[in-house]
Amino acid sequence: WDPSTHQFTGLMEEWQMKSIALGMPIQYWIIEANAAHKYLFQFNHFRNWVAQRGVEVIPHSTQGANKLQSEFGVDCLRVHFKNGDYRLPYRSESGRMVSQKLISEALSYPSGRHDDTIMATWFLENQLPNLSFRQSASMTKEWRPSWL
């Protein structure tokens, strides 16, 4: 919150506005509960931002024990990747670059270097049962064969 301009600023505001401009507004923010969630919610301007944007903020625990549980931890993603449940952009050069970052992290987890793309995927997969999605008027359904 910038008190001199009376406007919200920052990464969340920027991404929220971009998502609205694209016709697919972000409905949920899944935030690591350990630090950011505690510190954000202590401020009235953040609670006002959440209310004005009509979003829900969901805390996600990333404690060591939570990460290592095969059913709920990062390893639960293995089955989804193996089954092809995730569709990654790979046709364009930029799509391949973005996808390769996630693929590299997934293949080297937990011992490799991470920029949290695999962790963000885990946040989503772990919290998916708690989310419900509104159908956007501008979204089109992709055709799929009836047997899928």
Side-chain angles (χ1 to χ4, degrees):
W1 175 251
D2 184 348
S4 63
T5 62
H6 299 284
Q7 292 183 325
F8 295 109
T9 62
L11 187 63
M12 288 177 77
E13 174 67 1
E14 184 181 321
W15 285 13
Q16 190 69 40
M17 293 299 104
K18 281 184 181 182
S19 72
I20 291 169
L22 290 170
M24 296 179 281
I26 295 171
Q27 300 170 39
Y28 298 95
W29 286 89
I30 303 169
I31 300 176
E32 186 175 9
N34 301 4
H37 191 264
K38 289 177 191 175
Y39 296 114
L40 284 175
F41 271 104
Q42 71 179 333
F43 297 110
N44 284 334
H45 62 265
F46 181 73
R47 290 193 294 271
N48 292 340
W49 182 85
V50 168
Q52 288 180 24
R53 300 299 178 250
V55 297
E56 186 175 339
V57 178
I58 300 172
H60 180 81
S61 176
T62 58
Q63 294 174 343
N66 194 15
K67 288 180 189 175
L68 300 175
Q69 293 177 3
S70 62
E71 186 179 344
F72 301 111
V74 179
D75 280 343
C76 77
L77 298 175
R78 186 180 316 265
V79 173
H80 296 289
F81 280 109
K82 188 174 181 179
N83 292 342
D85 294 337
Y86 294 128
R87 296 178 59 180
L88 302 177
Y90 220 76
R91 188 175 297 176
S92 69
E93 182 64 28
S94 61
R96 280 191 295 278
M97 285 175 39
V98 170
S99 296
Q100 194 56 50
K101 187 174 191 68
L102 177 61
I103 292 166
S104 296
E105 281 196 29
L107 291 174
S108 67
Y109 186 85
S111 60
R113 183 181 163 342
H114 304 293
D115 290 326
D116 286 342
T117 55
I118 196 69
M119 297 298 285
T121 306
W122 171 52
F123 280 28
L124 174 64
E125 189 62 45
N126 190 266
Q127 294 297 329
L128 208 50
N130 302 325
L131 310 179
S132 65
F133 298 98
R134 303 183 291 267
Q135 188 71 5
S136 172
S138 64
M139 288 178 60
T140 58
K141 272 194 150 178
E142 188 175 316
W143 180 85
R144 289 194 173 89
S146 60
W147 47 269
L148 277 181

